[in-house]
Amino acid sequence: MNESKPGDSQNLACVFCRKNDDCPNKYGEKKTKEKWNLTVHYYCLLMSSGIWQRGKEEEGVYGFLIEDIRKEVNRASKLKCCVCKKNGASIGCVAPRCKRSYHFPCGLQRECIFQFTGNFASFCWDHRPVQIITSNNYRESLPCTICLEFIEPIPSYNILRSPCCKNAWFHRDCLQVQAINAGVFFFRCTICNNSDIFQKEMLRMGIHIPEKDASWELEENAYQELLQHYERCDVRRCRCKEGRDYNAPDSKWEIKRCQCCGSSGTHLACSSLRSWEQNWECLECRGIIYNSGDFQKAKKHVLPNSNNVGITDCLLEESSPKLPRQSPGAQSKDLLRQGSKFRRNVSTLLIELGFQIKKKTKRLYINKANIWNSALDAFRNRNFNPSYAIEVAYVIENDNFGSEHPGSKQEFLSLLMQHLENSSLFEGSLSKNLSLNSQALKENLYYEAGKMLAISLVHGGPSPGFFSKTLFNCLVYGPENTQPILDDVSDFDVAQIIIRINTATTVADLKSIINECYNYLELIGCLRLITTLSDKYMLVKDILVYHVIQRVHAPFESFKQGLKTLGVLEKIQAYPEAFCSILCHKPESLSAKILSELFTVHTLPDVKALGFWNSYLQAVEDGKSTTTMEDILIFATGCSSIPPAGFKPTPSIECLHVDFPVGNKCNNCLAIPITNTYKEFQENMDFTIRNTLRLGKEESSHYIGH
């Protein structure tokens, strides 16, 4: 180890490793505190075994208090490094019964692994984690997917393999440099772009992923050129007296850019263009189009209207809060990349996801009286594929004849979502969060719930509408960027503790409450030193984060994985504002106008019956009927609301010479009776709809009671 003399200011050495090297990629940032005559490498400080970060980020050195650093240096001075044989070995192997201690640089030299996560564990060369490859089919060298130099595809300390792409191999040094440059928000697999699995494995193998923006995002005005319009007239003879750079909007001297390349321009008058909407190509692009034989075709292209979204329009959009640490340059880049994302309609997004559904059909045998278990069995069947079209057949439990009859897919999904909302997997009254159910976790039911939600949305199911904003934000922006509120706490006792702490008026009252709740606060790891009354706010925040987020970490991760089915979670994260409307809010109330426009008339209508139908809808809306708008929709389609992706097929009405209405939920068809009087029409409609729905509810309650 290199020793430095106490008074040598030009060669200040780290108090832990005694090296004066300044190499951020290897040892972390080198920090000197002249006031305390103290110099440390960030990694040497971070990985030391006997020190904890007790201060705020701006206190001491990175939140490590000066007195704690001195104590740790004193402790390490009594420990000898098993590599260089000198004192000051502040880092120890965490493996049981292993007594090896070493300096951080010495550990790197002997290929120890330092995990920059959790408890910041360190492992010596005998106990370090390794990547286990069950079978190695690679006989030849493969390129590192970062530097492209060929390496032997055998996992070792210096060679790592991607956990998500089996043919992606890396040099450790290449990964570390990329991680430091990319930061936690952009560090991901170079092949498949996966970040969760990839980062978890790289942290396990000792790659440091700093919690910062990517280096290219921190550069001031890094993407400024993307925000600039090209504004110069490039025609051979510019007629503008003010010069080629003059641009006067809404006049003949407005500059028009080439519709193909956008990097050349002309004044409208200089190219005899009558209006800004008229197409124009520069000479280079026109030559390319002409030589390709599509010149006339190109002339017919319609230029987007000037009111359409442009770069400046994007800058006026509300920026996404997904990455709170982003620099302004990064936010501008995101806006440019996303364009008019937030203007996308959720029904359009779900229809796009529906393009994955194949023509091949999978029939699900569903017992309406036991909707959850029969759905669970169907979705867990090894032959089930979420991308197959779903066909539903209703069966009766313990039916010796094995009879079945066609069922409505949308009714099945609607019943399933109702059951899910009221299940023990969620807690809360209206806005729900995930609960902690150990049995459900053991049976992997949280994953199945997420999978069911994803399948329901893509296959035309109803809006769930019961997510709390906290659960939604955790899914979109991550639990670490989400702050729960008191309304998220459904446990009465915990809510009372939070309220009592929050309403404490003196430090003495606050300490008294903490003493009363000592066992609970100690159990959840939220005990903290109280010095001022304002400390209560941090304590309340800690309790909320634990109870609503940390306590249900395992259910959340399982639920999140299930929601990735058919790419639903990725779409939610890309368009949060659109999906918030259907995940966190119930659908709008139905009205006579909505239902009247929803149902189309396919057969030759009976004018009198249709008049009765419209009058009936108005009577229901005015409360002059025993049924509701939702009852009518359930009777005809099986759904109490209009699905975000719409009905398929479109609901229709038939006028038939029958005594009572008939609802065909498979075809979303409602047959209304042709009667002599409106009174008879309303009585028949009310009687049939009311009793049909009552019988359905009794069947469900009969199963639940048993």
Side-chain angles (χ1 to χ4, degrees):
M1 304 295 293
N2 294 333
E3 298 284 338
S4 67
K5 297 179 181 179
D8 192 355
S9 59
Q10 295 182 354
N11 294 306
L12 294 173
C14 171
V15 294
F16 288 105
C17 68
R18 294 298 172 189
K19 273 184 172 290
N20 50 31
D21 303 48
D22 189 3
C23 183
N25 285 353
K26 289 182 69 176
Y27 309 132
E29 183 184 3
K30 187 178 180 182
K31 199 87 165 181
T32 298
K33 293 287 185 179
E34 294 182 0
K35 181 178 178 181
W36 293 288
N37 191 27
L38 188 73
T39 299
V40 294
H41 289 124
Y42 178 47
Y43 294 169
C44 293
L45 176 61
L46 198 61
M47 300 308 302
S48 292
S49 302
I51 190 170
W52 288 267
Q53 192 177 27
R54 295 195 302 127
K56 296 179 181 178
E57 192 71 24
E58 63 274 9
E59 292 184 82
V61 184
Y62 303 110
F64 293 91
L65 303 182
I66 300 299
E67 58 267 28
D68 291 345
I69 297 175
R70 299 251 187 241
K71 289 178 183 178
E72 179 63 4
V73 171
N74 184 54
R75 183 190 71 85
S77 65
K78 303 169 187 175
L79 300 173
K80 184 176 290 187
C81 175
C82 60
V83 179
C84 70
K85 309 303 180 186
K86 294 182 179 180
N87 290 343
S90 62
I91 305 171
C93 177
V94 299
R97 300 177 185 174
C98 182
K99 298 181 180 179
R100 287 190 178 120
S101 296
Y102 33 82
H103 303 97
F104 185 84
C106 295
L108 289 181
Q109 179 186 333
R110 283 303 305 269
E111 300 183 347
C112 298
I113 278 185
F114 304 93
Q115 294 181 342
F116 295 88
T117 184
N119 293 324
F120 294 89
S122 169
F123 299 88
C124 70
W125 51 93
D126 283 338
H127 302 116
R128 70 188 182 207
V130 295
Q131 289 187 312
I132 300 174
I133 309 300
T134 53
S135 61
N136 192 347
N137 298 323
Y138 304 104
R139 298 180 180 178
E140 300 179 356
S141 299
L142 292 174
C144 166
T145 58
I146 297 177
C147 71
L148 301 182
E149 288 186 7
F150 280 89
I151 54 179
E152 292 298 322
I154 300 173
S156 64
Y157 176 79
N158 291 308
I159 305 297
L160 299 176
R161 190 176 78 158
S162 170
C164 39
C165 294
K166 306 307 180 185
N167 59 340
W169 296 79
F170 312 91
H171 291 110
R172 173 180 287 273
D173 291 342
C174 293
L175 273 173
Q176 186 57 77
V177 171
Q178 179 171 317
I180 290 173
N181 285 326
V184 69
F185 301 119
F186 293 92
F187 183 56
R188 56 195 64 189
C189 176
T190 54
I191 302 297
C192 70
N193 257 358
N194 179 283
S195 59
D196 293 343
I197 299 174
F198 186 75
Q199 286 191 16
K200 187 176 180 181
E201 175 66 3
M202 293 306 117
L203 286 169
R204 186 180 76 90
M205 296 307 296
I207 300 298
H208 178 223
I209 309 172
E211 291 187 9
K212 68 176 186 66
D213 266 339
S215 56
W216 58 85
E217 298 286 359
L218 299 175
E219 183 182 344
E220 188 175 358
N221 297 325
Y223 303 100
Q224 192 64 32
E225 67 276 5
L226 297 177
L227 307 180
Q228 298 173 355
H229 292 279
Y230 186 84
E231 294 183 349
R232 179 180 170 82
C233 181
D234 296 311
V235 298
R236 182 176 296 179
R237 292 183 180 179
C238 178
R239 300 175 185 175
C240 183
K241 294 180 181 180
E242 302 293 333
R244 291 183 178 272
D245 295 325
Y246 180 72
N247 180 29
D250 300 322
S251 74
K252 64 179 181 179
W253 302 120
E254 181 174 4
I255 288 180
K256 169 81 175 175
R257 291 179 296 279
C258 172
Q259 67 161 346
C260 297
C261 67
S263 58
S264 294
T266 178
H267 290 113
L268 298 182
C270 296
S271 293
S272 302
L273 298 175
R274 294 180 181 178
S275 69
W276 196 87
E277 284 79 11
Q278 194 173 344
N279 290 342
W280 179 80
E281 302 94 10
C282 64
L283 287 174
E284 290 79 7
C285 293
R286 189 175 300 177
I288 294 170
I289 296 170
Y290 180 81
N291 292 330
S292 68
D294 293 333
F295 183 68
Q296 292 299 324
K297 184 177 180 181
K299 297 286 281 186
K300 295 179 182 177
H301 288 172
V302 179
L303 187 72
N305 189 277
S306 60
N307 293 326
N308 285 357
V309 180
I311 292 178
T312 51
D313 295 319
C314 295
L315 291 175
L316 297 175
E317 290 286 337
E318 182 181 351
S319 61
S320 168
K322 183 172 184 181
L323 303 178
R325 291 167 54 89
Q326 277 187 324
S327 60
Q331 293 172 355
S332 300
K333 181 183 175 185
D334 273 349
L335 289 170
L336 288 167
R337 184 167 56 237
Q338 293 174 3
S340 57
K341 270 187 178 181
F342 298 121
R343 294 177 178 166
R344 300 293 301 278
N345 188 287
V346 70
S347 60
T348 305
L349 297 171
L350 292 174
I351 290 170
E352 287 176 3
L353 286 171
F355 291 153
Q356 304 173 75
I357 300 175
K358 301 177 175 64
K359 290 184 179 180
K360 187 172 181 179
T361 301
K362 174 63 178 177
R363 173 170 287 196
L364 306 183
Y365 295 95
I366 303 298
N367 178 9
K368 286 178 72 174
N370 189 0
I371 198 83
W372 171 256
N373 287 328
S374 53
L376 205 57
D377 292 340
F379 289 155
R380 282 177 168 175
N381 189 298
R382 64 178 183 177
N383 295 323
F384 176 75
N385 187 330
S387 61
Y388 287 170
I390 292 177
E391 185 180 279
V392 174
Y394 288 135
V395 296
I396 300 174
E397 195 173 25
N398 301 324
D399 182 5
N400 297 327
F401 299 100
S403 59
E404 60 182 67
H405 59 277
S408 163
K409 177 184 69 174
Q410 287 177 313
E411 179 190 34
F412 156 61
L413 294 175
S414 183
L415 292 172
L416 184 58
M417 289 302 103
Q418 289 174 25
H419 181 94
L420 199 58
E421 179 178 358
N422 299 311
S423 71
S424 60
L425 301 178
F426 295 90
E427 61 185 22
S429 52
L430 297 177
S431 297
K432 296 179 180 289
N433 290 294
L434 290 170
S435 65
L436 180 59
N437 186 323
S438 57
Q439 186 61 31
L441 195 60
K442 184 178 178 181
E443 296 176 8
N444 206 25
L445 295 185
Y446 290 99
Y447 170 82
E448 297 295 342
K451 179 180 174 182
M452 288 176 183
L453 268 163
I455 291 172
S456 175
L457 287 172
V458 177
H459 284 266
S463 303
F466 60 84
F467 282 27
S468 71
K469 282 291 181 63
T470 298
L471 175 56
F472 181 78
N473 289 338
C474 284
L475 290 169
V476 176
Y477 311 121
E480 67 279 3
N481 297 320
T482 302
Q483 179 57 50
I485 59 176
L486 182 60
D487 289 344
D488 292 317
V489 180
S490 59
D491 188 303
F492 178 79
D493 294 332
V494 175
Q496 287 301 307
I497 292 173
I498 294 173
I499 292 171
R500 289 182 64 196
I501 293 173
N502 213 26
T503 54
T505 54
T506 65
V507 174
D509 288 343
L510 183 58
K511 288 183 177 180
S512 174
I513 296 168
I514 291 174
N515 285 334
E516 288 180 34
C517 308
Y518 184 90
N519 291 336
Y520 171 71
L521 294 175
E522 183 182 38
L523 179 67
I524 66 175
C526 289
L527 278 176
R528 62 168 48 240
L529 183 65
I530 300 298
T531 56
T532 64
L533 186 61
S534 60
D535 289 339
K536 69 180 183 178
Y537 300 116
M538 287 304 298
L539 180 57
V540 166
K541 181 180 177 181
D542 290 345
I543 297 172
L544 284 171
V545 169
Y546 168 78
H547 186 82
V548 181
I549 295 178
Q550 294 176 352
R551 183 177 63 97
V552 295
H553 173 73
F556 173 77
E557 289 300 323
S558 183
F559 180 72
K560 183 178 170 184
Q561 288 300 317
L563 207 53
K564 289 181 179 179
T565 304
L566 295 172
V568 170
L569 180 61
E570 183 180 358
K571 211 74 165 178
I572 292 172
Q573 291 171 340
Y575 303 95
E577 290 193 2
F579 278 93
C580 182
S581 64
I582 65 170
L583 294 177
C584 299
H585 303 283
K586 291 294 184 181
E588 63 174 329
S589 300
L590 297 173
S591 65
K593 185 175 183 296
I594 291 173
L595 278 193
S596 179
E597 294 174 351
L598 178 66
F599 286 88
T600 59
V601 182
H602 288 316
T603 59
L604 188 64
D606 182 282
V607 177
K608 191 176 181 181
L610 283 182
F612 289 166
W613 162 250
N614 290 323
S615 299
Y616 179 65
L617 291 179
Q618 194 59 53
V620 172
E621 184 175 295
D622 294 341
K624 298 176 182 178
S625 170
T626 56
T627 61
T628 64
M629 293 292 177
E630 288 72 23
D631 291 340
I632 297 172
L633 194 61
I634 293 172
F635 180 76
T637 67
C639 299
S640 60
S641 62
I642 302 173
F647 283 106
K648 193 175 181 182
T650 303
S652 61
I653 282 181
E654 290 181 307
C655 302
L656 299 179
H657 290 280
V658 291
D659 293 330
F660 300 99
V662 179
N664 186 340
K665 297 174 183 176
C666 295
N667 297 323
N668 296 329
C669 182
L670 174 62
I672 58 176
I674 298 175
T675 60
N676 294 322
T677 64
Y678 172 73
K679 182 181 179 183
E680 184 183 358
F681 180 90
Q682 179 173 343
E683 287 176 351
N684 291 355
M685 292 288 289
D686 285 347
F687 174 82
T688 306
I689 294 174
R690 185 176 64 250
N691 285 286
T692 302
L693 299 186
R694 180 179 58 81
L695 287 172
K697 290 178 181 178
E698 286 179 357
E699 288 178 4
S700 299
S701 61
H702 174 76
Y703 171 77
I704 294 170
H706 287 75

